[in-house]
């Protein structure tokens, strides 16, 4: 198998992607992916080599990812908007053989010399004449790694979740062929979620390509523009993170704006009840909530197909086993809370080059400890009630406090820093930094912004005399929450 092969079965004349005024057909996408395969083969890229793709939500991302998968390589999607220091931290861990550069990441060429990794410009690759002898798709085993997804961990260092061809395939089936009324070839899907995140990548983009649907790309989410695209292209599948749903729910759009939408999906963080109700009351759209994570390649539970229960993330999708356990690993009684432990075909293969962290969360027989805490009711509905992991979710994106703290501590005026999550109506959670030291806060803010992706930057700084540190040296974050 090779998940890159899924597009080859569609009519080449069919429209696959829309990007502004440009439409790319399945035939053109396949030809562009073949050009990328040729370019990578010319650079002797082998199966299992690591290929980073630095792009925005643009057609070149898709031909690059399919082309790299096609030669059997492992693809690491990277956001074009990453500040250079953050990108360098990530590259130091993944050490790719090459970086494929999209239109939205042209700025990186200025730094080509210092990065120490060869750059390959995708625009140039796409403008080469097609050759008849592009290397064929390399056959892969279901367990071979397809994507390596960047996240970060408790230490703050980049952590890379490896997802196999089989994992991705399972995640795609869960929302297309595996469910009643799943994604179909006639669907028109809004591609506004970032393609470097698992939700935008697998649930939206790759699943739509697999079934032969049309994806209308939005390079950067903007409320007005998204409404224009929904109307113009008669979008039938709308997927968003909760902050996007909040914005859509608040607008007084002309009647019928959302009339074409038949599947509405929210994920990546909890969908607030008031947003769900406003979408239903104001626009007649019933938003389905899914719960999943990078390490599971797709959804574990969904509210689809069963009456909605407030604050619940629904029930387990077919093929997924979920058990809630206490601190000793013993299953809890129904109605009691416990850490969510899951097993299924989408569960990842482990973290790249980090056996210790992998062993901490993944057992030999395939059970993954999610770090989320849940409760089941007696009808099998899951409610997420807490997290054991030190994670802050801003607009659906994961922020690990340690990564932000490490950066803040690099500032000469900071003696200590502890970061916690605060509540935010717009973004769900927000990053709050507690600082010891003499740093000028405006300057510290600029320092953070130059080194961290925007959503990871603190929105508030509090200067304190002392930080809560246990005798073991461990920071007691809950004291600051
Ligand atoms: P990510 O790997 O970025 O997709 O983040 C996964 C984490 O997001 C999960 O472990 C949960 O903590 C959180 N999450 C994802 N979906 C939901 C949801 N529907 N409700 C609440 N939390 C969610």
């Amino acid at each position: 198998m090779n998940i890159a092969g899924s597009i080859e079965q569609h009519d080449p004349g069919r429209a696959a992607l829309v990007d502004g005024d440009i439409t790319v057909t399945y035939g053109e996408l396949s030809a562009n992916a073949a050009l990328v395969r040729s370019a990578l083969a010319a650079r002797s890229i082998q199966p299992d080599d690591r290929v980073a793709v630095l792009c925005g939500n643009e057609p070149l991302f898709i031909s690059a990812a399919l082309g790299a998968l096609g030669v059997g390589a492992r693809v690491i999607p990277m956001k074009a908007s990453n500040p250079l220091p953050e990108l360098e931290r990530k590259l130091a861990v993944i050490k790719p053989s090459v970086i494929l550069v999209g239109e939205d990441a042209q700025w990186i060429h200025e730094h080509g010399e210092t990065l120490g990794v060869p750059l390959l410009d995708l625009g140039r690759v796409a403008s080469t004449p097609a050759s008849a002898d592009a290397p064929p798709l390399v056959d892969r085993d279901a367990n071979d790694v397809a994507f390596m997804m960047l996240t970060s961990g408790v230490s703050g260092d980049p952590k890379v979740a490896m997802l196999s061809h089989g994992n991705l395939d399972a995640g795609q089936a869960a929302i297309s062929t595996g469910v009643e009324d799943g994604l179909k070839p006639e669907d028109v899907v809004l591609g506004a979620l970032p393609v470097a995140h698992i939700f935008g990548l697998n649930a939206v983009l790759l699943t739509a390509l697999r079934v032969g649907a049309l994806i209308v790309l939005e390079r950067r989410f903007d409320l007005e523009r998204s409404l224009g695209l929904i109307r113009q292209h008669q979008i039938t599948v709308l997927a968003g993170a909760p902050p996007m749903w909040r914005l859509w729910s608040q607008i007084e759009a002309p009647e019928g704006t959302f009339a074409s939408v038949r599947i509405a999906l929210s994920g990546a963080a909890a969908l607030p009840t008031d947003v769900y109700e406003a979408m239903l009351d104001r626009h007649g759209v019933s938003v389905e909530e899914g719960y999943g994570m990078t390490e599971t390649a797709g959804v574990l539970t969904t509210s689809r197909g069963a009456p909605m229960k407030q604050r619940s993330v629904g029930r387990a999708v077919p093929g997924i086993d979920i058990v809630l356990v206490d601190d000793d690993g013993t299953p809890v009684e129904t109605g009691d809370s416990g850490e969510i432990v899951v097993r299924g075909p989408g569960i990842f293969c482990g973290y790249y080059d980090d056996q210790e962290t992998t062993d901490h969360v993944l057992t030999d027989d395939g059970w993954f400890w999610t770090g989320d805490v849940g409760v089941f009711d007696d009808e099998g509905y899951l409610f997420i009630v807490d997290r054991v992991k030190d994670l802050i979710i801003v607009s659906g994106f994961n922020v690990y406090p340690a990564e932000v703290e490490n950066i803040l501590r690099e500032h000469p005026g900071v003696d200590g820093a502890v970061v916690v999550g605060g509540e935010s109506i717009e973004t769900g959670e927000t990053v709050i930094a507690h600082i010891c030291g003499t740093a000028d806060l405006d300057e510290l803010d600029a320092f953070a912004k130059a080194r961290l992706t925007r959503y990871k930057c603190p929105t508030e700084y509090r200067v304190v005399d002392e930080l809560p540190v246990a005798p073991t040296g461990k920071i007691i974050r809950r004291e600051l929450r």
Side-chain angles (χ1 to χ4, degrees):
M1 74 180 303
N2 189 322
I3 51 164
S6 71
I7 61 161
E8 307 297 338
Q9 59 191 333
H10 307 313
D11 174 358
R14 236 183 127 70
L17 306 169
V18 168
D19 174 41
D21 301 334
I22 294 166
T23 300
V24 182
T25 64
Y26 275 97
E28 287 163 340
L29 190 56
S30 165
N32 291 342
L35 286 174
V36 174
R37 290 205 301 279
S38 296
L40 292 174
R43 288 173 177 251
S44 307
I45 299 295
Q46 302 292 319
D48 286 330
D49 281 355
R50 296 177 299 284
V51 172
V53 182
L54 187 67
C55 280
N57 274 24
E58 51 182 310
L60 287 177
F61 170 81
I62 299 143
S63 42
L66 295 176
L69 290 171
V71 297
R74 302 170 166 199
V75 177
I76 303 110
M78 302 185 86
K79 282 198 181 118
S81 58
N82 271 177
L84 184 63
E86 184 165 334
L87 200 68
E88 286 174 331
R89 287 196 297 279
K90 291 173 174 171
L91 290 173
V93 173
I94 54 181
K95 301 188 191 73
S97 304
V98 62
I99 304 176
L100 303 183
V101 181
E103 266 172 31
D104 289 357
Q106 288 298 307
W107 60 272
I108 196 69
H109 288 296
E110 273 175 45
H111 307 280
E113 302 268 294
T114 50
L115 284 176
V117 184
L119 303 177
L120 181 57
D121 193 70
L122 289 163
R124 286 221 184 133
V125 173
S127 58
T128 36
S131 91
D133 54 2
L137 289 187
V138 171
D139 193 30
R140 301 258 68 191
D141 188 81
N143 294 322
D144 286 332
V145 175
F147 281 94
M148 298 193 2
M149 304 298 287
L150 282 154
T151 148
S152 56
V154 278
S155 67
D157 293 331
K159 196 170 65 167
V160 193
M162 298 185 290
L163 294 170
S164 67
H165 285 260
N167 292 153
L168 273 288
D169 182 64
Q172 294 164 17
I175 66 162
S176 57
T177 45
V179 278
E180 210 178 306
D181 266 339
L183 229 69
K184 293 188 174 48
E186 305 76 45
D187 277 316
V188 186
V189 183
L190 184 71
L193 285 163
V195 291
H197 184 267
I198 193 67
F199 189 15
L201 177 71
N202 206 33
V204 179
L205 190 67
L206 296 177
T207 305
L209 292 175
R210 167 196 179 119
V211 302
L214 171 64
I215 302 142
V216 178
L217 291 168
E218 193 179 4
R219 290 203 181 201
R220 202 189 159 90
F221 177 72
D222 170 85
L223 177 61
E224 285 305 319
R225 187 173 45 221
S226 71
L227 292 172
L229 292 174
I230 292 167
R231 274 192 294 261
Q232 183 190 347
H233 297 283
Q234 293 289 290
I235 296 291
T236 62
V237 178
L238 197 54
M244 292 157 71
W245 286 111
R246 177 170 293 285
L247 291 173
W248 282 323
S249 76
Q250 286 168 339
I251 44 122
E252 297 285 351
E255 218 181 300
T257 296
F258 293 94
S260 55
V261 175
R262 70 173 197 96
I263 300 179
L265 300 170
S266 177
L271 178 70
T273 307
D274 65 312
V275 172
Y276 171 80
E277 283 172 351
M279 270 317 290
L280 194 58
D281 296 347
R282 186 171 276 170
H283 304 303
V285 174
S286 172
V287 183
E288 295 165 15
E289 179 161 11
Y291 157 64
M293 61 209 74
T294 306
E295 289 87 341
T296 67
V299 285
L300 298 165
T301 72
T302 171
S303 64
R304 150 168 267 207
M308 174 76 181
K309 276 196 191 179
Q310 283 193 4
R311 288 185 299 280
S312 167
V313 291
R315 303 201 257 203
V317 298
I320 298 284
D321 297 321
I322 303 183
V323 181
L324 306 183
V325 301
D326 64 17
D327 290 346
D328 304 327
T330 311
V332 300
E333 302 279 331
T334 303
D336 287 348
S337 67
E339 180 167 351
I340 302 173
V341 181
V342 298
R343 190 168 65 173
I347 305 300
F348 76 139
C349 324
Y351 296 110
Y352 174 67
D353 205 14
D354 190 352
Q355 197 58 43
E356 197 186 331
T357 312
T358 303
D359 290 343
H360 197 65
V361 296
L362 193 61
T363 63
D364 288 342
D365 51 354
W367 288 98
F368 170 57
W369 296 59
T370 63
D372 292 316
V373 179
V375 179
F376 270 123
D377 72 6
D378 48 17
E379 291 179 303
Y381 283 78
L382 182 65
F383 297 77
I384 295 178
V385 293
D386 198 3
R387 264 179 234 141
V388 274
K389 53 191 174 191
D390 269 338
L391 175 65
I392 305 170
I393 303 185
V394 180
S395 298
F397 297 117
N398 291 359
V399 182
Y400 280 89
E403 183 181 6
V404 183
E405 288 162 0
N406 292 348
I407 294 295
L408 296 176
R409 280 193 213 108
E410 281 176 17
H411 188 281
V414 172
D415 300 329
V418 175
V419 159
V420 295
E423 281 184 24
S424 158
I425 301 243
E426 287 79 30
T427 60
E429 286 179 272
T430 178
V431 176
I432 300 177
H434 296 77
I435 299 291
C436 279
T438 53
D440 173 79
L441 295 186
D442 288 336
E443 199 195 292
L444 181 60
D445 188 41
F447 182 87
K449 287 195 170 112
R451 288 162 179 79
L452 289 165
T453 296
R454 207 170 40 132
Y455 63 83
K456 295 180 183 171
C457 294
T459 50
E460 192 182 327
Y461 291 88
R462 296 178 186 160
V463 180
V464 293
D465 294 332
E466 229 175 287
L467 294 166
V469 179
T472 54
K474 195 172 182 301
I475 295 163
I476 316 169
R477 285 202 178 76
R478 75 186 121 73
E479 283 194 11
L480 292 172
R481 278 193 197 120

